[in-house]
Amino acid sequence: YFRSFLPSKIGGKPAWLNPRNIPQPSDLKCGQCQDPLKFLLQLYAPLNQFDQSYHRMVYIFICRKHECCGKSGTIKAFRSQLPLNNPFYDSKFYGNGNENDDESNENENECELKQQQKEDEILAKL
């Protein structure tokens, strides 16, 4: 369920995992031309085995100017992470509510695998 709240996506506006800890406007400027960077994508990349990074999101911002392409500071990545227990997201939305339902778990695992494959394809093109 959690992916529907903070999905991996391309374009639009970022959905910040932790709304209290977002980059400052100065962090989102091109290192070459100083213009604001454009939001490219976000990837939900949880590390469920570690409590402090149970939820993890990676955000990528880029400069759209051709003159800046390939130069230092024109692509920036930001990572946000939250522990399993946090003040923003109730565990009932992403917890193990169907632990005894094998068919439901198989469907969720298949869906997660397909989503991960799509994300891998996107990253391979970058």
Side-chain angles (χ1 to χ4, degrees):
Y1 296 109
F2 189 73
R3 280 185 185 270
S4 63
F5 293 107
L6 290 167
S8 296
K9 65 178 187 168
I10 297 174
K13 295 185 178 186
W16 298 107
L17 180 65
N18 182 345
R20 291 185 190 154
N21 186 18
I22 61 174
Q24 296 297 311
S26 59
D27 297 328
L28 296 172
K29 288 189 176 187
C30 175
Q32 297 294 317
C33 69
Q34 299 303 307
D35 281 357
L37 296 172
K38 293 289 186 179
F39 172 67
L40 178 64
L41 63 88
Q42 69 184 46
L43 294 173
Y44 182 59
L47 290 175
N48 300 1
Q49 64 270 36
F50 301 109
D51 181 54
Q52 291 306 309
S53 57
Y54 188 88
H55 299 294
R56 192 173 64 145
M57 188 78 77
V58 177
Y59 304 89
I60 307 292
F61 291 81
I62 62 168
C63 183
R64 296 181 65 189
K65 285 189 173 179
H66 177 70
E67 308 84 63
C68 296
C69 184
K71 295 180 181 173
S72 176
T74 61
I75 299 176
K76 294 186 180 180
F78 298 88
R79 181 189 71 219
S80 180
Q81 60 190 44
L82 289 171
L84 174 60
N85 296 309
N86 65 76
F88 305 110
Y89 308 104
D90 189 335
S91 63
K92 72 180 180 180
F93 294 112
Y94 55 83
N96 298 322
N98 295 321
E99 293 166 354
N100 297 321
D101 187 351
D102 291 337
E103 184 176 330
S104 177
N105 282 338
E106 286 178 25
N107 289 339
E108 284 182 27
N109 290 339
E110 183 177 334
C111 183
E112 290 287 323
L113 179 61
K114 287 180 181 178
Q115 183 66 31
Q116 184 63 50
Q117 289 170 339
K118 287 180 184 177
E119 292 169 5
D120 291 345
E121 288 174 18
I122 291 168
L123 286 174
K125 292 178 182 179
L126 295 177

